[in-house]
Amino acid sequence: MESLNQTFAALADPTRRGIVAHLIRGEATVSELVQQFDLTQPTISSHLKVLESAGLISRSRKAQTRPCKLEPDGLQALDAWLERFRTVWEGNFERLDALLDDLQDRQPGKEKKP
């Protein structure tokens, strides 16, 4: 549960969500992220440390750069947690669809569906 709390805390910030969304397209260096978000290098680095601590990204070293990449495994706990709710929501929507169909069928002058 602690890793899930870290994930939610990391994604609570809109800049960090933006960084994650940017990294979905592929690796990016800190310099590229600084340009993308129009923030200072120390600010971006601070956000990256939070994302890395939550296991959402990883950073490597290539010559003078530190490319960042998304770590899909870091989102698995979040996805599993949300899946429980998704199942409930889908069941609720299916029951709502059935109720609406039933109400439409009961309208006077309305032909029944085959």
Side-chain angles (χ1 to χ4, degrees), residues 50-92:
V50 172
L51 291 169
E52 192 172 25
S53 292
L56 298 173
I57 68 161
S58 63
R59 294 190 279 182
S60 59
R61 187 175 297 275
K62 291 182 183 174
Q64 299 291 326
T65 63
R66 301 261 340 246
C68 306
K69 72 175 186 173
L70 195 60
E71 288 297 330
D73 293 346
L75 294 171
Q76 282 184 340
L78 177 61
D79 186 51
W81 187 79
L82 289 172
E83 183 61 33
R84 295 183 301 168
F85 295 97
R86 193 176 297 123
T87 302
V88 171
W89 294 329
E90 287 172 355
N92 288 342

Short mmCIF file of all heavy atoms in Angstrom, two decimals, residues 50-92:
data_model
loop_
_atom_site.label_atom_id
_atom_site.label_comp_id
_atom_site.label_asym_id
_atom_site.label_seq_id
_atom_site.Cartn_x
_atom_site.Cartn_y
_atom_site.Cartn_z
N VAL A 50 11.21 12.80 -7.31
CA VAL A 50 9.96 12.29 -6.73
C VAL A 50 9.41 11.16 -7.58
O VAL A 50 9.00 10.11 -7.05
CB VAL A 50 8.92 13.44 -6.57
CG1 VAL A 50 7.56 12.90 -6.15
CG2 VAL A 50 9.41 14.50 -5.60
N LEU A 51 9.40 11.35 -8.89
CA LEU A 51 8.90 10.31 -9.80
C LEU A 51 9.76 9.06 -9.73
O LEU A 51 9.25 7.94 -9.76
CB LEU A 51 8.83 10.85 -11.24
CG LEU A 51 7.77 11.91 -11.50
CD1 LEU A 51 7.98 12.55 -12.87
CD2 LEU A 51 6.37 11.34 -11.37
N GLU A 52 11.05 9.24 -9.62
CA GLU A 52 11.97 8.11 -9.54
C GLU A 52 11.78 7.36 -8.21
O GLU A 52 11.75 6.13 -8.18
CB GLU A 52 13.41 8.59 -9.69
CG GLU A 52 14.41 7.48 -9.90
CD GLU A 52 15.80 8.00 -10.24
OE1 GLU A 52 16.14 9.14 -9.88
OE2 GLU A 52 16.54 7.24 -10.87
N SER A 53 11.62 8.09 -7.12
CA SER A 53 11.39 7.47 -5.81
C SER A 53 10.11 6.65 -5.80
O SER A 53 10.02 5.62 -5.11
CB SER A 53 11.31 8.53 -4.71
OG SER A 53 12.55 9.14 -4.54
N ALA A 54 9.11 7.09 -6.56
CA ALA A 54 7.84 6.37 -6.64
C ALA A 54 7.92 5.20 -7.62
O ALA A 54 6.96 4.44 -7.76
CB ALA A 54 6.72 7.33 -7.05
N GLY A 55 9.05 5.06 -8.31
CA GLY A 55 9.22 3.95 -9.25
C GLY A 55 8.54 4.18 -10.59
O GLY A 55 8.34 3.24 -11.36
N LEU A 56 8.18 5.42 -10.88
CA LEU A 56 7.48 5.72 -12.14
C LEU A 56 8.42 5.99 -13.30
O LEU A 56 8.03 5.81 -14.46
CB LEU A 56 6.54 6.92 -11.94
CG LEU A 56 5.45 6.70 -10.89
CD1 LEU A 56 4.69 8.00 -10.64
CD2 LEU A 56 4.51 5.60 -11.34
N ILE A 57 9.63 6.43 -13.00
CA ILE A 57 10.62 6.67 -14.05
C ILE A 57 11.97 6.12 -13.61
O ILE A 57 12.18 5.83 -12.43
CB ILE A 57 10.78 8.18 -14.39
CG1 ILE A 57 11.41 8.93 -13.22
CG2 ILE A 57 9.47 8.80 -14.81
CD1 ILE A 57 12.01 10.28 -13.60
N SER A 58 12.86 6.00 -14.57
CA SER A 58 14.26 5.68 -14.26
C SER A 58 15.12 6.64 -15.06
O SER A 58 14.70 7.18 -16.09
CB SER A 58 14.58 4.24 -14.61
OG SER A 58 14.44 4.01 -15.99
N ARG A 59 16.32 6.85 -14.54
CA ARG A 59 17.27 7.72 -15.23
C ARG A 59 18.57 6.95 -15.43
O ARG A 59 19.00 6.19 -14.57
CB ARG A 59 17.56 8.99 -14.41
CG ARG A 59 16.34 9.87 -14.27
CD ARG A 59 16.67 11.21 -13.68
NE ARG A 59 16.76 11.12 -12.23
CZ ARG A 59 16.99 12.18 -11.46
NH1 ARG A 59 17.18 13.36 -11.99
NH2 ARG A 59 17.05 12.04 -10.16
N SER A 60 19.17 7.17 -16.59
CA SER A 60 20.45 6.54 -16.88
C SER A 60 21.45 7.64 -17.22
O SER A 60 21.10 8.82 -17.24
CB SER A 60 20.30 5.55 -18.04
OG SER A 60 19.83 6.22 -19.18
N ARG A 61 22.64 7.23 -17.48
CA ARG A 61 23.67 8.21 -17.83
C ARG A 61 24.23 7.82 -19.19
O ARG A 61 24.71 6.71 -19.39
CB ARG A 61 24.77 8.23 -16.78
CG ARG A 61 25.78 9.34 -16.99
CD ARG A 61 26.78 9.41 -15.87
NE ARG A 61 26.23 9.71 -14.57
CZ ARG A 61 25.99 10.95 -14.11
NH1 ARG A 61 26.25 11.98 -14.89
NH2 ARG A 61 25.51 11.14 -12.91
N LYS A 62 24.13 8.75 -20.14
CA LYS A 62 24.71 8.56 -21.47
C LYS A 62 25.58 9.78 -21.75
O LYS A 62 25.06 10.87 -22.00
CB LYS A 62 23.62 8.44 -22.54
CG LYS A 62 22.81 7.17 -22.47
CD LYS A 62 21.80 7.10 -23.58
CE LYS A 62 20.95 5.85 -23.44
NZ LYS A 62 19.87 5.80 -24.41
N ALA A 63 26.88 9.59 -21.66
CA ALA A 63 27.85 10.67 -21.83
C ALA A 63 27.51 11.79 -20.85
O ALA A 63 27.53 11.59 -19.65
CB ALA A 63 27.88 11.15 -23.27
N GLN A 64 27.17 12.96 -21.36
CA GLN A 64 26.89 14.11 -20.51
C GLN A 64 25.41 14.25 -20.15
O GLN A 64 25.05 15.15 -19.41
CB GLN A 64 27.34 15.40 -21.23
CG GLN A 64 28.82 15.46 -21.55
CD GLN A 64 29.67 15.59 -20.29
OE1 GLN A 64 29.27 16.21 -19.33
NE2 GLN A 64 30.84 14.95 -20.30
N THR A 65 24.57 13.40 -20.67
CA THR A 65 23.13 13.55 -20.44
C THR A 65 22.61 12.50 -19.47
O THR A 65 23.24 11.46 -19.26
CB THR A 65 22.35 13.44 -21.77
OG1 THR A 65 22.55 12.15 -22.31
CG2 THR A 65 22.78 14.51 -22.76
N ARG A 66 21.45 12.77 -18.91
CA ARG A 66 20.76 11.84 -18.01
C ARG A 66 19.35 11.60 -18.54
O ARG A 66 18.40 12.20 -18.06
CB ARG A 66 20.67 12.41 -16.59
CG ARG A 66 21.98 12.74 -15.93
CD ARG A 66 22.53 11.72 -14.95
NE ARG A 66 21.67 10.76 -14.37
CZ ARG A 66 21.37 10.69 -13.09
NH1 ARG A 66 21.82 11.58 -12.25
NH2 ARG A 66 20.63 9.71 -12.63
N PRO A 67 19.21 10.75 -19.56
CA PRO A 67 17.87 10.50 -20.10
C PRO A 67 16.96 9.83 -19.08
O PRO A 67 17.40 9.01 -18.27
CB PRO A 67 18.11 9.61 -21.31
CG PRO A 67 19.51 9.16 -21.23
CD PRO A 67 20.24 9.99 -20.23
N CYS A 68 15.70 10.22 -19.14
CA CYS A 68 14.67 9.66 -18.27
C CYS A 68 13.73 8.84 -19.12
O CYS A 68 13.44 9.20 -20.26
CB CYS A 68 13.87 10.77 -17.61
SG CYS A 68 14.88 11.96 -16.75
N LYS A 69 13.25 7.75 -18.55
CA LYS A 69 12.26 6.96 -19.27
C LYS A 69 11.19 6.48 -18.29
O LYS A 69 11.44 6.32 -17.09
CB LYS A 69 12.88 5.79 -20.02
CG LYS A 69 13.38 4.68 -19.16
CD LYS A 69 13.87 3.51 -20.01
CE LYS A 69 14.21 2.34 -19.11
NZ LYS A 69 14.53 1.15 -19.85
N LEU A 70 10.04 6.28 -18.82
CA LEU A 70 8.91 5.81 -18.03
C LEU A 70 9.14 4.35 -17.66
O LEU A 70 9.63 3.56 -18.46
CB LEU A 70 7.64 5.96 -18.86
CG LEU A 70 6.31 5.85 -18.14
CD1 LEU A 70 6.18 6.93 -17.08
CD2 LEU A 70 5.18 5.98 -19.14
N GLU A 71 8.78 4.00 -16.44
CA GLU A 71 8.85 2.61 -15.97
C GLU A 71 7.42 2.10 -15.82
O GLU A 71 6.77 2.38 -14.82
CB GLU A 71 9.60 2.54 -14.63
CG GLU A 71 11.08 2.76 -14.75
CD GLU A 71 11.78 1.71 -15.58
OE1 GLU A 71 11.31 0.55 -15.63
OE2 GLU A 71 12.80 2.05 -16.20
N PRO A 72 6.93 1.37 -16.82
CA PRO A 72 5.54 0.89 -16.78
C PRO A 72 5.22 0.06 -15.54
O PRO A 72 4.10 0.09 -15.04
CB PRO A 72 5.40 0.05 -18.04
CG PRO A 72 6.52 0.46 -18.92
CD PRO A 72 7.62 0.95 -18.02
N ASP A 73 6.21 -0.67 -15.01
CA ASP A 73 5.97 -1.48 -13.81
C ASP A 73 5.54 -0.61 -12.64
O ASP A 73 4.80 -1.05 -11.78
CB ASP A 73 7.22 -2.28 -13.44
CG ASP A 73 7.54 -3.35 -14.46
OD1 ASP A 73 6.68 -3.64 -15.31
OD2 ASP A 73 8.67 -3.87 -14.42
N GLY A 74 6.01 0.63 -12.63
CA GLY A 74 5.65 1.55 -11.56
C GLY A 74 4.18 1.90 -11.54
O GLY A 74 3.64 2.30 -10.51
N LEU A 75 3.53 1.76 -12.68
CA LEU A 75 2.11 2.07 -12.76
C LEU A 75 1.23 0.84 -12.57
O LEU A 75 0.00 0.96 -12.48
CB LEU A 75 1.79 2.73 -14.12
CG LEU A 75 2.42 4.10 -14.34
CD1 LEU A 75 2.22 4.55 -15.78
CD2 LEU A 75 1.85 5.12 -13.38
N GLN A 76 1.81 -0.33 -12.48
CA GLN A 76 1.02 -1.56 -12.36
C GLN A 76 0.19 -1.61 -11.09
O GLN A 76 -0.96 -2.04 -11.12
CB GLN A 76 1.91 -2.79 -12.47
CG GLN A 76 2.30 -3.11 -13.88
CD GLN A 76 3.10 -4.39 -13.97
OE1 GLN A 76 3.68 -4.85 -13.01
NE2 GLN A 76 3.14 -4.96 -15.16
N ALA A 77 0.75 -1.19 -9.96
CA ALA A 77 -0.02 -1.21 -8.71
C ALA A 77 -1.21 -0.27 -8.80
O ALA A 77 -2.31 -0.60 -8.36
CB ALA A 77 0.87 -0.83 -7.53
N LEU A 78 -0.99 0.87 -9.42
CA LEU A 78 -2.08 1.83 -9.60
C LEU A 78 -3.15 1.25 -10.52
O LEU A 78 -4.35 1.33 -10.24
CB LEU A 78 -1.54 3.13 -10.18
CG LEU A 78 -2.55 4.23 -10.51
CD1 LEU A 78 -3.28 4.67 -9.25
CD2 LEU A 78 -1.85 5.40 -11.16
N ASP A 79 -2.73 0.62 -11.59
CA ASP A 79 -3.67 0.01 -12.53
C ASP A 79 -4.47 -1.11 -11.86
O ASP A 79 -5.69 -1.19 -12.04
CB ASP A 79 -2.93 -0.52 -13.76
CG ASP A 79 -3.87 -1.03 -14.82
OD1 ASP A 79 -4.81 -0.30 -15.20
OD2 ASP A 79 -3.69 -2.19 -15.26
N ALA A 80 -3.81 -1.93 -11.06
CA ALA A 80 -4.50 -3.02 -10.36
C ALA A 80 -5.51 -2.46 -9.37
O ALA A 80 -6.63 -2.98 -9.24
CB ALA A 80 -3.49 -3.91 -9.64
N TRP A 81 -5.15 -1.39 -8.68
CA TRP A 81 -6.06 -0.76 -7.72
C TRP A 81 -7.27 -0.18 -8.43
O TRP A 81 -8.40 -0.36 -7.99
CB TRP A 81 -5.31 0.32 -6.94
CG TRP A 81 -6.07 0.91 -5.81
CD1 TRP A 81 -6.26 0.38 -4.58
CD2 TRP A 81 -6.74 2.17 -5.81
NE1 TRP A 81 -7.02 1.23 -3.81
CE2 TRP A 81 -7.32 2.35 -4.54
CE3 TRP A 81 -6.90 3.17 -6.77
CZ2 TRP A 81 -8.05 3.47 -4.20
CZ3 TRP A 81 -7.63 4.30 -6.43
CH2 TRP A 81 -8.20 4.44 -5.16
N LEU A 82 -7.04 0.49 -9.55
CA LEU A 82 -8.14 1.08 -10.31
C LEU A 82 -9.01 0.02 -10.97
O LEU A 82 -10.21 0.25 -11.17
CB LEU A 82 -7.58 2.03 -11.38
CG LEU A 82 -6.99 3.33 -10.87
CD1 LEU A 82 -6.30 4.08 -12.00
CD2 LEU A 82 -8.05 4.19 -10.21
N GLU A 83 -8.44 -1.12 -11.30
CA GLU A 83 -9.20 -2.19 -11.97
C GLU A 83 -10.37 -2.65 -11.11
O GLU A 83 -11.45 -2.94 -11.63
CB GLU A 83 -8.29 -3.37 -12.30
CG GLU A 83 -8.99 -4.49 -13.05
CD GLU A 83 -9.56 -4.07 -14.39
OE1 GLU A 83 -8.97 -3.20 -15.05
OE2 GLU A 83 -10.62 -4.61 -14.77
N ARG A 84 -10.18 -2.68 -9.80
CA ARG A 84 -11.29 -3.07 -8.91
C ARG A 84 -12.47 -2.11 -9.06
O ARG A 84 -13.62 -2.54 -9.08
CB ARG A 84 -10.83 -3.08 -7.45
CG ARG A 84 -9.78 -4.13 -7.17
CD ARG A 84 -9.41 -4.17 -5.72
NE ARG A 84 -8.89 -2.85 -5.31
CZ ARG A 84 -8.70 -2.50 -4.06
NH1 ARG A 84 -8.98 -3.32 -3.08
NH2 ARG A 84 -8.22 -1.32 -3.76
N PHE A 85 -12.17 -0.83 -9.19
CA PHE A 85 -13.24 0.16 -9.34
C PHE A 85 -13.84 0.10 -10.74
O PHE A 85 -15.04 0.28 -10.92
CB PHE A 85 -12.71 1.57 -9.06
CG PHE A 85 -12.29 1.74 -7.63
CD1 PHE A 85 -10.96 1.60 -7.26
CD2 PHE A 85 -13.22 1.99 -6.65
CE1 PHE A 85 -10.58 1.74 -5.94
CE2 PHE A 85 -12.85 2.13 -5.32
CZ PHE A 85 -11.52 2.00 -4.96
N ARG A 86 -13.00 -0.16 -11.73
CA ARG A 86 -13.46 -0.24 -13.11
C ARG A 86 -14.52 -1.34 -13.24
O ARG A 86 -15.54 -1.15 -13.90
CB ARG A 86 -12.27 -0.52 -14.04
CG ARG A 86 -12.54 -0.34 -15.51
CD ARG A 86 -11.29 -0.53 -16.36
NE ARG A 86 -10.28 0.47 -16.04
CZ ARG A 86 -9.04 0.20 -15.63
NH1 ARG A 86 -8.64 -1.06 -15.49
NH2 ARG A 86 -8.19 1.16 -15.35
N THR A 87 -14.29 -2.46 -12.59
CA THR A 87 -15.24 -3.57 -12.63
C THR A 87 -16.58 -3.15 -12.03
O THR A 87 -17.64 -3.44 -12.59
CB THR A 87 -14.66 -4.78 -11.86
OG1 THR A 87 -13.42 -5.14 -12.46
CG2 THR A 87 -15.60 -5.96 -11.90
N VAL A 88 -16.54 -2.44 -10.92
CA VAL A 88 -17.77 -1.97 -10.27
C VAL A 88 -18.48 -0.96 -11.17
O VAL A 88 -19.69 -1.03 -11.37
CB VAL A 88 -17.46 -1.35 -8.89
CG1 VAL A 88 -18.68 -0.65 -8.31
CG2 VAL A 88 -16.95 -2.42 -7.94
N TRP A 89 -17.72 -0.01 -11.73
CA TRP A 89 -18.32 1.02 -12.59
C TRP A 89 -18.98 0.39 -13.81
O TRP A 89 -20.08 0.76 -14.20
CB TRP A 89 -17.28 2.03 -13.05
CG TRP A 89 -16.70 2.87 -11.95
CD1 TRP A 89 -17.31 3.26 -10.80
CD2 TRP A 89 -15.38 3.39 -11.89
NE1 TRP A 89 -16.45 4.00 -10.02
CE2 TRP A 89 -15.26 4.10 -10.67
CE3 TRP A 89 -14.29 3.34 -12.74
CZ2 TRP A 89 -14.08 4.76 -10.29
CZ3 TRP A 89 -13.13 3.98 -12.36
CH2 TRP A 89 -13.04 4.68 -11.15
N GLU A 90 -18.30 -0.58 -14.43
CA GLU A 90 -18.87 -1.22 -15.61
C GLU A 90 -20.16 -1.95 -15.26
O GLU A 90 -21.13 -1.90 -16.02
CB GLU A 90 -17.85 -2.18 -16.24
CG GLU A 90 -16.73 -1.45 -16.96
CD GLU A 90 -15.61 -2.36 -17.43
OE1 GLU A 90 -15.64 -3.57 -17.13
OE2 GLU A 90 -14.69 -1.84 -18.10
N GLY A 91 -20.18 -2.62 -14.11
CA GLY A 91 -21.41 -3.27 -13.67
C GLY A 91 -22.53 -2.28 -13.45
O GLY A 91 -23.69 -2.51 -13.83
N ASN A 92 -22.20 -1.13 -12.86
CA ASN A 92 -23.20 -0.09 -12.64
C ASN A 92 -23.74 0.44 -13.96
O ASN A 92 -24.94 0.67 -14.11
CB ASN A 92 -22.63 1.06 -11.81
CG ASN A 92 -22.40 0.69 -10.36
OD1 ASN A 92 -22.94 -0.29 -9.87
ND2 ASN A 92 -21.58 1.46 -9.67
#
